[in-house]
Amino acid sequence: PTLTVRLSAPSRSPSQTRERHRTRNALVIVQTALAVVLLIASGLMIRTFQSLRRVDPGFRATGLQTFHIFLPETAVKEPERVIRIFEGIQRKLSEIPGVVMAAFGNSVPTDGNNSTDPLYAEDRAYREGELPSLGRFKFVAPGFFQAMGIRLISGRDFTWNDLYGRREVTIISENMAREMWGSPSTAIGKRIRQGMKDDWREIVGVVADVRHDGADQKAPTTVYCPILMKNFSGDSTFVERGAVFALRTDRAGSESLMNQVREAVWSVSKDVPLARVRTMDEIYRASMARSSFAVVMLAIAGGMALLLALVGIYGVISYSVSQRTRELGIRIALGAPLGALKAMVVRQGVALASAGAIFGLAASAALMRLMSALLFNVDSVDPVTYTAVSIGLVAAAAIASYLPARRASNVDPTEALRAE
């Protein structure tokens, strides 16, 4: 036989009670759906951040100290003397205890120095109106690639004779070599130039691709030129007066190292200010700041939304148990298993969470496409993230429902009936 018990409060009608109950349930479902959306967004960003940390940027950031100096024309007029001073500073820096190697160029990867210009190849014919390929231009001194941990794929590095002899030589990235000539070895000996009036420069080396714009951006095709040249970009003698020095050392980031660095620099060029003193790790992490910030903010928002959803589920189930006290007392009096009563109450909470999760997954599938620009090597509909969030949220809802369920199983039938 089926026992049906009608519960009602003296101050409101059964229809009012059911309406309030439906409203509470709907609110909990909406809260849960919102929590799913935010948790999935947070999960996708965490997966993106993990992917970024696994990317090979093309250089070794650990154990690298950097700083900038600038020699204005008012202080040092002759272009060659600028490089002589830089070379002298490099030698002094190499003598500091713990410094394995020191070198310099006009920039280091991911520091925001992104000079891009047209690039002409001597063995290519350009039709009228045809635009040549674009290349990222960097200016370096001998030893820069080794100090930065950038691999030499083919050919050779620059020499000091190349610089001071103003030889027409250049080095390019591997992706440029493959794009224009099919392979790094084939590119050796080819000639390129920036402008129609510049000298042709022979490719003497090919180095590994470097993600100059950050781990989440593709490595640009890059041309590395000597930091001192003739007839480049409209200048009869071209020199980069701003240099960033890179020191390979296990003392990177220490104040004692920088004190010795200042002494070394000032022993060659007195009172030259050192600017942007940073480790390469700091520069590289800054390039991932956008993803890091998004991870933190979405994790906070997702955590708060999850907490609200669980509080809502707990409140609804607790209210339901309080309204069904007499029914539960009768069930216990008739011998209903306590485990079955707990499961009945927990199922109610899981049902609400499941409904919210379904709506949240549907909303996420549509909304996450809007944040595709923030993702890296992660699909906006990533099954791992969606499954983990759904299972985790339903499991959390079951836990939130357990306390009211345990209270329901402890109802005293005599007290329940007397209270009515």
Side-chain angles (χ1 to χ4, degrees), residues 89-203:
I89 291 173
Q90 176 182 323
R91 284 198 300 268
K92 287 291 185 179
L93 293 173
S94 300
E95 295 170 2
I96 296 175
V99 174
V100 177
M101 188 174 184
F104 62 94
N106 77 316
S107 74
V108 291
T110 72
D111 67 354
N113 191 325
N114 302 325
S115 175
T116 302
D117 291 290
L119 180 71
Y120 295 88
E122 186 181 33
D123 60 350
R124 296 288 177 90
Y126 298 94
R127 297 185 299 273
E128 185 177 352
E130 181 184 359
L131 295 176
S133 301
L134 294 177
R136 185 71 55 81
F137 278 76
K138 302 287 183 180
F139 306 93
V140 302
F144 182 81
F145 300 116
Q146 186 178 352
M148 291 298 303
I150 301 173
R151 291 183 299 110
L152 183 66
I153 303 296
S154 184
R156 65 173 179 85
D157 193 359
F158 295 133
T159 66
W160 290 108
N161 288 334
D162 290 333
L163 264 70
Y164 295 125
R166 314 292 206 280
R167 294 176 180 172
E168 292 89 359
V169 292
T170 191
I171 294 172
I172 65 174
S173 60
E174 182 180 4
N175 54 1
M176 175 173 284
R178 294 189 183 281
E179 178 183 311
M180 299 186 72
W181 294 286
S183 70
S185 58
T186 306
I188 301 297
K190 303 294 184 183
R191 300 207 301 173
I192 58 176
R193 65 183 179 185
Q194 181 198 38
M196 297 297 292
K197 296 182 180 180
D198 289 356
D199 292 337
W200 289 108
R201 304 186 184 280
E202 180 184 351
I203 298 171

Side-chain angles (χ1 to χ4, degrees), residues 54-66:
R54 290 193 293 267
V55 166
D56 178 9
F59 60 92
R60 290 189 292 117
T62 304
L64 206 57
Q65 178 70 56
T66 73

Side-chain angles (χ1 to χ4, degrees), residues 39-56 211 214-217 284 287-296 298 368 370-382 384-386:
L39 287 171
I40 285 177
S42 178
L44 291 176
M45 287 308 303
I46 290 172
R47 297 258 295 167
T48 288
F49 194 69
Q50 290 174 336
S51 296
L52 290 175
R53 290 177 64 86
R54 290 193 293 267
V55 166
D56 178 9
R211 294 179 181 259
D216 59 340
Q217 302 294 320
Y284 188 52
S287 72
M288 296 192 290
R290 182 180 67 163
S291 296
S292 302
F293 180 76
V295 167
V296 172
L298 286 171
M368 290 307 109
L370 300 177
M371 62 179 291
S372 295
L374 293 174
L375 303 180
F376 178 78
N377 283 352
V378 179
D379 191 351
S380 60
V381 189
D382 178 49
V384 174
T385 303
Y386 281 55

Side-chain angles (χ1 to χ4, degrees), residues 219-234:
T221 52
T222 307
V223 180
Y224 299 93
C225 297
I227 203 164
L228 176 67
M229 294 180 287
K230 67 175 183 179
N231 195 25
F232 179 81
S233 192

